[in-house]
Amino acid sequence: MRRRARDPITRLQTAIDCLPERTRRAMLDGVRANTIVVGAYTDGNGGICPMLAAHRNGGRTSFLSFARAWDAFARAESVRPATARELHVLEDLLVASLAEDLEGASDLAAAIAEHKASVARSRPKEIIARRLRLDKKRRISAAEVDRPGDPPVAAGAGARTAS
């Protein structure tokens, strides 16, 4: 069983990494364009939480563990604007997570291309081997069923008769 991260930044990073890419991009745009608060969804004065900022920018995701991680990281005891440090850390984590996705995507694309090339190299051999097996089965079964020149087998032929 995996142990849960104890420090708030690691929890926040994990929560961010669990968000869909579209939501992370929307959150980054929203954090840069809005007044961000901690401790609540909104503060009544125009300040919004990062998840609402993401939602308003097209990242339609509900993810309670992010909200909990964000509030734990900010040590929110009541609703207040996020500090410059908190916003800087959040933005850095979002940017790092998105950059990691791009690196992972290129690694994944390379792995997929390598797999496809491998399949393409082995595919003709598999097809030929399968066809040979099928042809062999067809020849055997055809030879057993249709033997020209053999007299037709009568029903019950070959069965022992009681004498």
Side-chain angles (χ1 to χ4, degrees):
M1 183 184 250
R2 191 172 152 194
R3 287 184 61 176
R4 198 171 183 189
R6 294 179 188 256
D7 65 294
I9 291 179
T10 304
R11 281 188 187 168
L12 182 60
Q13 180 181 14
T14 302
I16 287 171
D17 289 342
C18 290
L19 292 169
E21 180 186 353
R22 180 178 177 184
T23 301
R24 284 180 279 156
R25 288 187 186 289
M27 186 179 290
L28 185 59
D29 292 342
V31 165
R32 290 174 173 167
N34 295 287
T35 301
I36 302 299
V37 298
V38 298
Y41 199 58
T42 64
D43 68 353
N45 297 320
I48 57 175
C49 74
M51 281 305 298
L52 181 56
H55 183 78
R56 288 183 179 174
N57 281 284
R60 308 267 193 257
T61 304
S62 293
F63 198 61
L64 187 58
S65 64
F66 171 83
R68 288 183 178 148
W70 171 244
D71 287 344
F73 164 72
R75 296 185 182 138
E77 294 178 9
S78 63
V79 181
R80 64 171 175 78
T83 65
R85 176 193 166 274
E86 292 164 347
L87 292 172
H88 185 71
V89 169
L90 177 59
E91 190 172 331
D92 285 350
L93 290 174
L94 287 165
V95 168
S97 180
L98 289 167
E100 195 173 290
D101 269 3
L102 290 176
E103 290 173 15
S106 64
D107 291 346
L108 179 61
I112 290 171
E114 183 179 324
H115 173 72
K116 285 182 178 179
S118 171
V119 168
R121 284 191 305 270
S122 66
R123 189 112 176 114
K125 293 175 188 173
E126 291 174 14
I127 292 170
I128 291 168
R130 189 173 353 133
R131 286 183 181 160
L132 288 174
R133 284 192 306 268
L134 287 174
D135 287 346
K136 194 174 187 180
K137 284 181 183 177
R138 285 183 190 138
R139 273 189 254 129
I140 290 170
S141 61
E144 290 174 0
V145 174
D146 291 331
R147 287 191 229 170
D150 284 350
V153 179
R160 289 190 165 199
T161 55
S163 311

